[in-house]
Amino acid sequence: MATQDGFLSVPSNAPEGGRPAHHDRGGGSRDRRPATTRSGVSTGGSPLRNPSDGISWDGIGFVLLRTDVGMGGEGDAVGEARVRCGSGGADPGTCSTRESATVGRGSGFGRMSTFATTDTSLRHDGSMIDPIAPVVPPGRMKQTRQPDFTLPGNMHLRPWQESDAQILVQSCLDPDIQHWNRPGRLTTDTAREKIERWKLRWQDEEAAIWAVTPADDAPVGLIGLADLDLPGGSGEFVYWLLPAGRGRGAMVNATLAVSRWAFDTLGLHRLRITHSVNNTASCRVATQAGFAWEGTMRSALLHADGWHDEHLHARIQGDTGPA
């Protein structure tokens, strides 16, 4: 690995030791000095003070790694804003870096904005290890059209359309949907904007949302994966049904259809369903769709009547169960 322009930028006004006051994104006085690269770590010309081994700075994401290749050949140094690291001490583990890195100095911390922008991993001695490939390659989802699905009982799944906006407005007035899903209130205009955002989130590979429709094509429900993590191979379900769509098994069938697509076509590894422990209807959907109950998350979500514990259900690639 090499730096892009061979320079390391360090803010000269960094605080003395400890946690940086902010993440420097430009501006202010900077020391710029030539940098070299040793064993995949970009280093510059001044020795580093070694504050600690393997410390993670909560809320900012900087991690200090003990290396033998810091500035001047000794000291500490490399982490980054989005980082996953092993423990410190005798078995320091590894640290995955992405996009940018930080370098510690005796006078504080600075951002190495010239660090290589591809994912890579460093051992604490500065040597390289093989990166973990994304579970789902970027682009796989947005390069395809959002599919339609036919469900048992003459029900269907299709993307939401601008003409569905009024039904989305009505869904926010249903007391059960409002209590369990907390959608707030929508006007026709804000409902259209929400539908447009769902289209953009498909293109950004962040979510996949469908309307649940009977034969007349007027939506009676919603289902989707609203928290997609393609590199990590996971997603979390969101769903609701209006009274006209309840009592016919539509949501179980919809969950199975989206799960098949997520596992077999998109290539995810793990899908989650979470719900209030008091939401027995959602619990039945999860169980009947083959999502094993994994535990209870205490005081996990704030509803209108207070904090609710939540059940966590999940299904992973290769699980046996209803298809």
Side-chain angles (χ1 to χ4, degrees), residues 102-147:
T102 58
V103 169
R105 295 177 62 210
S107 61
F109 303 95
R111 172 171 175 156
M112 191 190 332
S113 58
T114 57
F115 207 59
T117 56
T118 56
D119 285 350
T120 187
S121 296
L122 306 177
R123 294 185 179 91
H124 280 202
D125 64 0
S127 61
M128 304 297 293
I129 62 174
D130 292 335
I132 298 174
V135 177
V136 177
R140 176 179 291 178
M141 181 172 158
K142 67 182 179 182
Q143 291 170 3
T144 62
R145 183 184 68 86
Q146 185 174 355

Side-chain angles (χ1 to χ4, degrees), residues 136-147 199-208 228 230 261 265-266:
V136 177
R140 176 179 291 178
M141 181 172 158
K142 67 182 179 182
Q143 291 170 3
T144 62
R145 183 184 68 86
Q146 185 174 355
K199 295 177 183 178
L200 294 175
R201 294 192 74 195
W202 174 277
Q203 289 299 316
D204 292 338
E205 301 187 316
E206 296 174 347
L228 278 175
L230 299 191
W261 168 81
T265 302
L266 188 57

Side-chain angles (χ1 to χ4, degrees), residues 128-287:
M128 304 297 293
I129 62 174
D130 292 335
I132 298 174
V135 177
V136 177
R140 176 179 291 178
M141 181 172 158
K142 67 182 179 182
Q143 291 170 3
T144 62
R145 183 184 68 86
Q146 185 174 355
D148 298 345
F149 301 105
T150 299
L151 309 179
N154 204 23
M155 300 291 287
H156 305 273
L157 301 183
R158 61 161 175 80
W160 284 81
Q161 303 166 359
E162 184 178 342
S163 58
D164 300 325
Q166 193 56 42
I167 293 177
L168 204 56
V169 172
Q170 294 171 8
S171 73
C172 297
L173 304 178
D174 180 83
D176 289 331
I177 294 174
Q178 189 60 237
H179 183 63
W180 299 122
N181 295 83
R182 311 175 311 152
R185 295 287 191 263
L186 294 173
T187 65
T188 302
D189 287 341
T190 55
R192 290 193 185 105
E193 291 170 1
K194 182 179 284 289
I195 292 169
E196 184 61 28
R197 283 199 302 274
W198 288 337
K199 295 177 183 178
L200 294 175
R201 294 192 74 195
W202 174 277
Q203 289 299 316
D204 292 338
E205 301 187 316
E206 296 174 347
I209 308 295
W210 285 267
V212 183
T213 68
D216 66 4
D217 202 43
V220 295
L222 172 149
I223 188 170
L225 297 171
D227 186 18
L228 278 175
D229 174 12
L230 299 191
S234 69
E236 182 165 346
F237 270 94
V238 58
Y239 50 66
W240 51 256
L241 282 172
L242 289 165
R246 298 170 190 167
R248 63 178 84 176
M251 194 51 71
V252 173
N253 292 328
T255 302
L256 290 171
V258 174
S259 297
R260 285 193 297 270
W261 168 81
F263 287 137
D264 299 342
T265 302
L266 188 57
L268 295 182
H269 176 72
R270 175 179 167 88
L271 299 174
R272 306 182 305 277
I273 295 174
T274 62
H275 63 81
S276 166
V277 296
N278 297 328
N279 189 347
T280 56
S282 189
C283 198
R284 284 195 300 271
V285 169
T287 301

Side-chain angles (χ1 to χ4, degrees), residues 291-313:
F291 282 68
W293 177 69
E294 293 189 342
T296 300
M297 300 181 292
R298 298 180 302 148
S299 197
L301 193 64
L302 181 61
H303 290 265
D305 58 350
W307 289 96
H308 285 221
D309 292 353
E310 284 198 313
H311 281 168
L312 169 63
H313 300 257

